[in-house]
Amino acid sequence: MMKRSWQVILGFILVFLVVLFAVVNVKSVPVNLGIVQLNAPLILVILASAFVGAIVVFLTSSASLLQKNRQIKKLKQTATNNQAEQEKQIATVKEEQQREFERQVAELKADYETQLKVANQPIAPVTEEQLPKSGNIDYFG
């Protein structure tokens, strides 16, 4: 903001100097326009030259500004496209992770139910035939 105000102040000072310079130079001078030669007051020559210079600066800066605006528009469109592509990729990854999570949950539920069925079966009584024959039971081997 401060930079812009200094530019405006400097612009006004320069315009004031050009007008002051033009006002003190009021003699009539010959002006050669290439095809025609005229006599005109120097004040008009100075102001016309300043005006033409201002128009040239305006046109060149406008062309540059237009080019930059087009480039900004293209970059914004590219950014929007990239963001949309990233959102699609994120959605795809989320869906894959959700499917994987649901598959793992289903596996765990099936495993849990299998283990629950095994745990709920009654224990079969041990028969005499299943007992060891010898009286020496090796608890360590």
Side-chain angles (χ1 to χ4, degrees):
M1 178 69 180
M2 195 65 164
K3 182 179 179 183
R4 183 77 176 144
S5 62
W6 279 108
Q7 289 175 342
V8 170
I9 292 170
L10 184 61
F12 279 129
I13 291 172
L14 290 175
V15 167
F16 176 74
L17 290 175
V18 167
V19 169
L20 184 67
F21 181 71
V23 168
V24 292
N25 292 290
V26 290
K27 288 184 182 178
S28 186
V29 293
V31 178
N32 187 356
L33 299 175
I35 302 171
V36 179
Q37 184 170 0
L38 334 155
N39 279 335
L42 188 55
I43 186 170
L44 291 179
V45 173
I46 293 171
L47 291 178
S49 298
F51 182 71
V52 168
I55 289 175
V56 168
V57 168
F58 174 76
L59 291 176
T60 56
S61 65
S62 294
S64 174
L65 187 62
L66 271 169
Q67 184 180 11
K68 287 179 182 180
N69 284 342
R70 280 190 212 121
Q71 187 176 14
I72 288 170
K73 188 176 179 180
K74 283 182 183 178
L75 290 173
K76 282 182 179 180
Q77 184 63 39
T78 302
T80 302
N81 292 343
N82 288 344
Q83 186 176 5
E85 182 64 30
Q86 284 178 342
E87 288 173 1
K88 282 173 66 177
Q89 289 176 351
I90 288 171
T92 302
V93 169
K94 276 184 174 180
E95 288 174 7
E96 289 173 2
Q97 287 179 344
Q98 184 66 29
R99 282 193 296 269
E100 178 63 21
F101 175 74
E102 289 171 357
R103 186 191 62 76
Q104 288 177 351
V105 167
E107 278 181 16
L108 289 173
K109 281 183 181 178
D111 190 35
Y112 173 75
E113 289 176 6
T114 303
Q115 289 179 6
L116 191 60
K117 286 179 185 176
V118 169
N120 286 338
Q121 289 181 353
I123 299 175
V126 178
T127 62
E128 292 272 337
E129 299 162 1
Q130 294 173 332
L131 291 175
K133 301 287 181 201
S134 67
N136 295 338
I137 299 175
D138 185 12
Y139 293 103
F140 300 108

